[in-house]
Amino acid sequence: MTTYLTEYNWDDVVPVPQDDGGPDALVVIAYNDDYRTAMGYLRAIMRVEEYSERAFQLTSDIIFMNAAHYTVWTYRTRILFALGKDCEQELEWLEYVASKFPKNYQIWNHREIIVEKYNSPIRELPFIEAMLALDSKNYHVWSYRQWVVRRFNLWATELAYTSNMIEDDVRNNSAWNHRYFALFGAGAPVNDGIVASEIEFTKDAILKAPQNASAWNYLSGLVRTSKRPLSSLEDFCTSLASFPMTVSADSQEIVQSARALEVLADIYAEKRDLDRALQAWTLLADKYDTIRVNFWNYKKLQATRTIMA
Protein backbone atom coordinates (compact mmCIF):
# COMPACT_ATOMS: atom_id res chain seq x y z
CA MET A 1 0.00 0.00 0.00
CA THR A 2 1.19 3.53 -0.74
CA THR A 3 1.62 6.37 1.76
CA TYR A 4 -1.18 8.58 0.48
CA LEU A 5 -3.70 5.68 0.85
CA THR A 6 -2.66 4.55 4.31
CA GLU A 7 -1.97 7.84 6.10
CA TYR A 8 -5.43 9.28 5.46
CA ASN A 9 -8.95 7.88 5.19
CA TRP A 10 -10.22 7.97 1.60
CA ASP A 11 -13.38 5.92 2.08
CA ASP A 12 -15.56 8.95 1.31
CA VAL A 13 -13.88 9.60 -2.05
CA VAL A 14 -14.78 7.91 -5.33
CA PRO A 15 -11.72 8.09 -7.61
CA VAL A 16 -12.27 9.70 -11.02
CA PRO A 17 -10.55 7.59 -13.70
CA GLN A 18 -8.33 8.96 -16.42
CA ASP A 19 -10.23 9.75 -19.61
CA ASP A 20 -8.06 8.21 -22.33
CA GLY A 21 -10.55 8.92 -25.10
CA GLY A 22 -12.76 5.85 -24.98
CA PRO A 23 -12.16 2.17 -25.75
CA ASP A 24 -10.67 2.90 -29.17
CA ALA A 25 -8.20 5.57 -28.04
CA LEU A 26 -5.30 5.90 -30.44
CA VAL A 27 -2.61 6.31 -27.79
CA VAL A 28 -3.05 5.35 -24.13
CA ILE A 29 -0.35 6.37 -21.70
CA ALA A 30 0.84 3.43 -19.60
CA TYR A 31 0.77 4.99 -16.14
CA ASN A 32 1.86 2.76 -13.28
CA ASP A 33 -0.77 1.68 -10.76
CA ASP A 34 0.34 4.03 -7.96
CA TYR A 35 0.23 7.08 -10.19
CA ARG A 36 -3.08 6.11 -11.77
CA THR A 37 -4.67 5.58 -8.34
CA ALA A 38 -3.28 8.82 -6.89
CA MET A 39 -4.52 10.83 -9.85
CA GLY A 40 -7.95 9.26 -9.52
CA TYR A 41 -8.24 10.59 -5.98
CA LEU A 42 -6.80 13.96 -6.99
CA ARG A 43 -9.35 14.46 -9.77
CA ALA A 44 -12.12 13.62 -7.31
CA ILE A 45 -11.07 16.11 -4.64
CA MET A 46 -10.28 18.83 -7.18
CA ARG A 47 -13.87 18.58 -8.45
CA VAL A 48 -15.16 19.60 -5.03
CA GLU A 49 -12.23 21.95 -4.33
CA GLU A 50 -11.17 20.13 -1.20
CA TYR A 51 -8.45 22.02 0.63
CA SER A 52 -7.26 19.68 3.37
CA GLU A 53 -4.16 18.11 4.85
CA ARG A 54 -4.75 14.89 2.96
CA ALA A 55 -5.14 16.81 -0.29
CA PHE A 56 -1.91 18.66 0.44
CA GLN A 57 -0.07 15.40 1.14
CA LEU A 58 -1.50 13.88 -2.01
CA THR A 59 -0.01 16.69 -4.12
CA SER A 60 3.38 15.98 -2.55
CA ASP A 61 3.16 12.28 -3.37
CA ILE A 62 2.14 12.94 -6.97
CA ILE A 63 4.89 15.52 -7.44
CA PHE A 64 7.47 12.91 -6.45
CA MET A 65 5.94 10.59 -9.06
CA ASN A 66 5.70 13.28 -11.74
CA ALA A 67 7.32 16.58 -10.87
CA ALA A 68 6.30 18.07 -14.22
CA HIS A 69 2.56 17.91 -13.50
CA TYR A 70 1.70 21.60 -13.66
CA THR A 71 -1.92 21.18 -12.50
CA VAL A 72 -0.80 19.46 -9.30
CA TRP A 73 1.54 22.33 -8.48
CA THR A 74 -1.24 24.86 -9.06
CA TYR A 75 -3.61 22.94 -6.79
CA ARG A 76 -0.92 22.63 -4.13
CA THR A 77 -0.50 26.41 -4.13
CA ARG A 78 -4.21 26.94 -3.62
CA ILE A 79 -4.28 24.46 -0.72
CA LEU A 80 -1.19 26.02 0.85
CA PHE A 81 -2.76 29.46 1.01
CA ALA A 82 -6.23 28.20 1.90
CA LEU A 83 -4.85 26.37 4.94
CA GLY A 84 -2.49 29.20 5.87
CA LYS A 85 0.46 26.86 5.94
CA ASP A 86 3.97 27.95 6.92
CA CYS A 87 5.78 29.40 3.89
CA GLU A 88 9.20 28.68 5.36
CA GLN A 89 8.36 25.00 5.75
CA GLU A 90 7.23 24.96 2.13
CA LEU A 91 10.53 26.53 1.07
CA GLU A 92 12.44 23.86 2.97
CA TRP A 93 10.37 21.16 1.27
CA LEU A 94 11.04 22.78 -2.11
CA GLU A 95 14.78 22.68 -1.47
CA TYR A 96 14.55 18.93 -1.08
CA VAL A 97 12.37 18.58 -4.18
CA ALA A 98 14.76 20.76 -6.18
CA SER A 99 17.67 18.51 -5.21
CA LYS A 100 15.77 15.61 -6.79
CA PHE A 101 14.40 17.41 -9.86
CA PRO A 102 16.65 20.46 -10.40
CA LYS A 103 15.66 21.09 -14.02
CA ASN A 104 11.93 21.04 -13.54
CA TYR A 105 10.65 24.55 -14.12
CA GLN A 106 7.44 24.11 -12.10
CA ILE A 107 9.52 23.90 -8.94
CA TRP A 108 10.97 27.34 -9.57
CA ASN A 109 7.63 28.83 -10.54
CA HIS A 110 6.12 27.52 -7.31
CA ARG A 111 9.03 28.85 -5.28
CA GLU A 112 8.60 32.27 -6.84
CA ILE A 113 4.95 32.33 -5.74
CA ILE A 114 5.86 31.30 -2.20
CA VAL A 115 8.71 33.80 -1.86
CA GLU A 116 6.44 36.55 -3.17
CA LYS A 117 3.97 35.67 -0.43
CA TYR A 118 6.73 35.24 2.18
CA ASN A 119 8.16 38.58 1.02
CA SER A 120 11.71 37.81 2.06
CA PRO A 121 14.78 36.76 0.04
CA ILE A 122 16.73 35.65 3.12
CA ARG A 123 16.97 32.01 2.02
CA GLU A 124 17.21 32.56 -1.69
CA LEU A 125 20.74 33.49 -2.71
CA PRO A 126 22.39 30.82 -0.49
CA PHE A 127 19.96 28.24 -1.86
CA ILE A 128 20.56 29.34 -5.45
CA GLU A 129 24.33 29.20 -4.97
CA ALA A 130 24.05 25.67 -3.58
CA MET A 131 22.02 24.62 -6.63
CA LEU A 132 24.49 26.21 -9.04
CA ALA A 133 27.31 24.43 -7.25
CA LEU A 134 25.62 21.21 -8.40
CA ASP A 135 25.12 22.45 -11.96
CA SER A 136 26.60 25.83 -12.81
CA LYS A 137 24.65 26.08 -16.08
CA ASN A 138 21.16 25.21 -14.88
CA TYR A 139 19.00 27.61 -16.88
CA HIS A 140 16.05 27.40 -14.46
CA VAL A 141 18.20 28.36 -11.47
CA TRP A 142 19.76 31.32 -13.28
CA SER A 143 16.33 32.51 -14.42
CA TYR A 144 15.07 32.29 -10.86
CA ARG A 145 18.12 34.22 -9.62
CA GLN A 146 17.24 37.02 -12.03
CA TRP A 147 13.73 37.18 -10.62
CA VAL A 148 15.04 37.29 -7.03
CA VAL A 149 17.56 40.03 -7.83
CA ARG A 150 14.98 42.16 -9.60
CA ARG A 151 12.19 41.54 -7.09
CA PHE A 152 14.28 42.35 -3.99
CA ASN A 153 16.73 44.84 -5.53
CA LEU A 154 19.81 42.71 -4.86
CA TRP A 155 22.00 44.08 -7.64
CA ALA A 156 25.04 44.95 -5.53
CA THR A 157 26.58 41.46 -5.32
CA GLU A 158 25.90 40.18 -8.80
CA LEU A 159 28.97 41.32 -10.76
CA ALA A 160 31.27 39.89 -8.10
CA TYR A 161 29.32 36.64 -8.09
CA THR A 162 29.55 36.22 -11.85
CA SER A 163 33.26 37.07 -11.73
CA ASN A 164 33.77 34.07 -9.47
CA MET A 165 31.66 31.85 -11.70
CA ILE A 166 33.54 32.94 -14.82
CA GLU A 167 36.85 32.43 -13.06
CA ASP A 168 35.77 28.84 -12.38
CA ASP A 169 34.57 28.30 -15.95
CA VAL A 170 35.23 30.97 -18.55
CA ARG A 171 32.88 29.20 -20.96
CA ASN A 172 29.87 29.36 -18.65
CA ASN A 173 27.42 31.08 -20.98
CA SER A 174 24.82 31.36 -18.21
CA ALA A 175 27.22 33.33 -16.02
CA TRP A 176 28.05 35.68 -18.90
CA ASN A 177 24.38 36.19 -19.61
CA HIS A 178 23.70 36.95 -15.95
CA ARG A 179 26.61 39.39 -15.90
CA TYR A 180 24.99 41.38 -18.70
CA PHE A 181 21.72 41.30 -16.74
CA ALA A 182 23.54 42.47 -13.60
CA LEU A 183 25.10 45.38 -15.46
CA PHE A 184 22.14 46.62 -17.46
CA GLY A 185 19.06 44.87 -16.03
CA ALA A 186 18.24 47.50 -13.42
CA GLY A 187 17.67 50.06 -16.16
CA ALA A 188 19.96 52.63 -14.57
CA PRO A 189 22.63 54.37 -16.68
CA VAL A 190 26.01 52.65 -16.59
CA ASN A 191 28.92 55.09 -16.56
CA ASP A 192 31.72 54.93 -19.11
CA GLY A 193 34.29 53.90 -16.51
CA ILE A 194 32.39 50.76 -15.58
CA VAL A 195 31.83 49.85 -19.22
CA ALA A 196 35.52 50.38 -20.00
CA SER A 197 36.45 48.16 -17.04
CA GLU A 198 34.02 45.50 -18.25
CA ILE A 199 35.52 45.58 -21.73
CA GLU A 200 38.99 44.97 -20.30
CA PHE A 201 37.64 42.19 -18.05
CA THR A 202 36.11 40.51 -21.08
CA LYS A 203 39.22 40.88 -23.21
CA ASP A 204 41.25 39.16 -20.50
CA ALA A 205 38.71 36.33 -20.46
CA ILE A 206 38.86 36.02 -24.25
CA LEU A 207 42.64 35.69 -24.15
CA LYS A 208 42.18 32.62 -21.93
CA ALA A 209 39.85 31.00 -24.50
CA PRO A 210 39.94 32.91 -27.81
CA GLN A 211 37.20 30.79 -29.40
CA ASN A 212 34.78 31.17 -26.51
CA ALA A 213 31.54 32.47 -28.03
CA SER A 214 30.11 33.48 -24.65
CA ALA A 215 32.74 36.12 -23.95
CA TRP A 216 32.65 37.41 -27.52
CA ASN A 217 28.88 37.82 -27.37
CA TYR A 218 29.21 39.67 -24.08
CA LEU A 219 31.87 41.96 -25.56
CA SER A 220 29.69 42.72 -28.57
CA GLY A 221 26.78 43.43 -26.24
CA LEU A 222 28.86 45.84 -24.19
CA VAL A 223 29.93 47.77 -27.26
CA ARG A 224 26.44 47.85 -28.73
CA THR A 225 24.62 48.83 -25.52
CA SER A 226 27.16 51.51 -24.60
CA LYS A 227 26.96 52.85 -28.18
CA ARG A 228 30.68 52.55 -28.75
CA PRO A 229 31.82 52.07 -32.35
CA LEU A 230 32.58 48.48 -33.28
CA SER A 231 35.88 49.75 -34.67
CA SER A 232 37.03 50.35 -31.07
CA LEU A 233 37.70 46.59 -31.01
CA GLU A 234 39.77 46.53 -34.19
CA ASP A 235 43.23 46.42 -32.61
CA PHE A 236 42.21 43.71 -30.16
CA CYS A 237 40.62 41.59 -32.88
CA THR A 238 43.57 42.07 -35.21
CA SER A 239 45.91 40.74 -32.53
CA LEU A 240 43.92 37.48 -32.54
CA ALA A 241 43.11 37.26 -36.23
CA SER A 242 45.83 38.74 -38.40
CA PHE A 243 45.73 37.38 -41.92
CA PRO A 244 47.34 38.05 -45.38
CA MET A 245 45.70 39.78 -48.30
CA THR A 246 45.52 36.60 -50.37
CA VAL A 247 43.44 33.55 -49.47
CA SER A 248 44.39 30.00 -50.30
CA ALA A 249 43.74 26.61 -48.75
CA ASP A 250 47.39 26.21 -47.80
CA SER A 251 48.06 29.77 -46.63
CA GLN A 252 49.90 30.13 -43.33
CA GLU A 253 47.90 32.97 -41.79
CA ILE A 254 47.67 32.98 -38.00
CA VAL A 255 44.10 33.15 -36.75
CA GLN A 256 43.77 32.33 -33.06
CA SER A 257 40.08 33.16 -33.03
CA ALA A 258 37.46 32.78 -35.74
CA ARG A 259 35.28 34.98 -33.54
CA ALA A 260 37.80 37.79 -33.78
CA LEU A 261 37.87 37.35 -37.54
CA GLU A 262 34.08 37.59 -37.63
CA VAL A 263 34.10 40.89 -35.73
CA LEU A 264 36.89 42.20 -37.94
CA ALA A 265 34.83 41.45 -41.03
CA ASP A 266 31.95 43.49 -39.63
CA ILE A 267 34.32 46.33 -38.73
CA TYR A 268 35.71 46.40 -42.27
CA ALA A 269 32.17 46.35 -43.68
CA GLU A 270 31.19 49.31 -41.47
CA LYS A 271 34.28 51.16 -42.71
CA ARG A 272 33.25 50.26 -46.28
CA ASP A 273 36.54 48.43 -46.76
CA LEU A 274 34.95 45.79 -48.96
CA ASP A 275 38.15 44.00 -49.99
CA ARG A 276 39.23 43.19 -46.44
CA ALA A 277 35.68 42.36 -45.34
CA LEU A 278 35.31 39.89 -48.21
CA GLN A 279 38.72 38.43 -47.43
CA ALA A 280 37.77 37.82 -43.79
CA TRP A 281 34.44 36.21 -44.71
CA THR A 282 36.18 34.04 -47.29
CA LEU A 283 38.63 32.79 -44.67
CA LEU A 284 35.73 31.96 -42.39
CA ALA A 285 33.80 30.19 -45.15
CA ASP A 286 36.76 28.25 -46.56
CA LYS A 287 38.81 27.42 -43.50
CA TYR A 288 37.88 28.66 -40.03
CA ASP A 289 34.11 28.29 -39.78
CA THR A 290 33.11 26.06 -42.67
CA ILE A 291 29.97 24.77 -40.97
CA ARG A 292 28.45 28.23 -41.56
CA VAL A 293 29.71 28.59 -45.12
CA ASN A 294 26.28 29.59 -46.44
CA PHE A 295 25.98 32.33 -43.83
CA TRP A 296 29.37 33.79 -44.69
CA ASN A 297 28.60 33.71 -48.40
CA TYR A 298 25.33 35.49 -47.65
CA LYS A 299 27.22 38.15 -45.67
CA LYS A 300 29.57 38.64 -48.62
CA LEU A 301 26.67 39.05 -51.01
CA GLN A 302 24.80 41.49 -48.78
CA ALA A 303 27.89 43.61 -48.08
CA THR A 304 28.75 43.77 -51.77
CA ARG A 305 25.24 44.96 -52.62
CA THR A 306 25.21 47.53 -49.83
CA ILE A 307 28.69 48.97 -50.24
CA MET A 308 28.64 48.98 -54.03
CA ALA A 309 25.16 50.55 -54.20
Side-chain angles (χ1 to χ4, degrees), residues 80-92:
L80 181 86
F81 294 150
L83 297 182
K85 296 187 75 65
D86 189 310
C87 287
E88 189 160 358
Q89 287 185 2
E90 184 72 356
L91 292 176
E92 290 177 2

Side-chain angles (χ1 to χ4, degrees), residues 79 104 124 145 149 172 175 189 203 207 224 231 274 301:
I79 299 170
N104 182 281
E124 300 317 291
R145 187 179 184 105
V149 168
N172 188 337
K203 287 179 178 178
L207 292 176
R224 180 179 62 253
S231 59
L274 183 59
L301 179 62

Side-chain angles (χ1 to χ4, degrees), residues 28-289:
V28 178
I29 300 175
Y31 297 117
N32 66 41
D33 290 341
D34 282 352
Y35 185 74
R36 189 180 297 277
T37 302
M39 286 303 302
Y41 281 107
L42 183 74
R43 291 186 203 99
I45 62 176
M46 285 184 66
R47 283 188 175 184
V48 297
E49 297 185 347
E50 177 184 320
Y51 302 142
S52 63
E53 288 295 338
R54 70 177 181 179
F56 193 66
Q57 178 61 44
L58 185 59
T59 64
S60 176
D61 294 325
I62 294 174
I63 283 166
F64 275 95
M65 289 186 258
N66 178 11
H69 201 310
Y70 179 80
T71 301
V72 179
W73 283 103
T74 301
Y75 193 52
R76 182 181 181 86
T77 303
R78 290 161 60 187
I79 299 170
L80 181 86
F81 294 150
L83 297 182
K85 296 187 75 65
D86 189 310
C87 287
E88 189 160 358
Q89 287 185 2
E90 184 72 356
L91 292 176
E92 290 177 2
W93 178 81
L94 275 173
E95 287 164 19
Y96 178 71
V97 178
S99 72
K100 300 298 182 182
F101 311 102
K103 293 191 176 180
N104 182 281
Y105 79 88
Q106 285 91 347
I107 293 170
W108 303 97
N109 179 68
H110 185 69
R111 191 172 184 96
E112 182 177 319
I113 294 169
I114 303 307
V115 170
E116 182 70 44
K117 179 73 172 179
Y118 190 50
N119 197 32
S120 171
I122 191 169
R123 302 175 66 95
E124 300 317 291
L125 292 186
F127 169 57
I128 291 168
E129 289 172 18
M131 293 301 298
L132 289 175
L134 298 175
D135 180 356
S136 65
K137 300 176 183 178
N138 188 326
Y139 168 81
H140 302 292
V141 182
W142 283 107
S143 295
Y144 180 67
R145 187 179 184 105
Q146 289 194 4
W147 177 81
V148 170
V149 168
R150 184 182 284 115
R151 169 63 180 80
F152 295 101
N153 197 31
L154 303 177
W155 302 95
T157 61
E158 295 307 281
L159 279 180
Y161 179 70
T162 58
S163 292
N164 291 334
M165 297 294 283
I166 290 167
E167 181 67 26
D168 289 341
D169 179 5
V170 74
R171 293 177 176 83
N172 188 337
N173 187 62
S174 297
W176 284 106
N177 179 70
H178 191 78
R179 191 174 185 89
Y180 185 89
F181 166 79
L183 194 63
F184 298 108
V190 180
N191 69 53
D192 287 344
I194 292 176
V195 173
S197 175
E198 282 297 295
I199 289 173
E200 293 307 310
F201 171 88
T202 311
K203 287 179 178 178
D204 288 343
I206 286 172
L207 292 176
K208 296 175 183 177
Q211 291 286 66
N212 177 19
S214 301
W216 279 106
N217 289 338
Y218 183 74
L219 183 61
S220 297
L222 284 173
V223 170
R224 180 179 62 253
T225 305
S226 63
K227 295 181 169 49
R228 282 168 162 72
L230 192 61
S231 59
S232 64
L233 300 177
E234 184 171 355
D235 289 345
F236 177 68
C237 293
T238 300
S239 70
L240 294 172
S242 57
F243 56 93
M245 295 304 294
T246 58
V247 179
S248 62
D250 59 351
S251 59
Q252 299 299 309
E253 68 280 344
I254 299 173
V255 175
Q256 297 180 54
S257 172
R259 298 287 175 176
L261 191 57
E262 178 180 348
V263 176
L264 271 179
D266 289 337
I267 291 171
Y268 295 146
E270 281 190 2
K271 294 169 70 173
R272 305 183 73 81
D273 187 343
L274 183 59
D275 287 342
R276 287 204 290 178
L278 293 176
Q279 181 188 9
W281 284 319
T282 299
L283 277 171
L284 288 164
D286 293 351
K287 188 168 184 178
Y288 289 107
D289 193 7

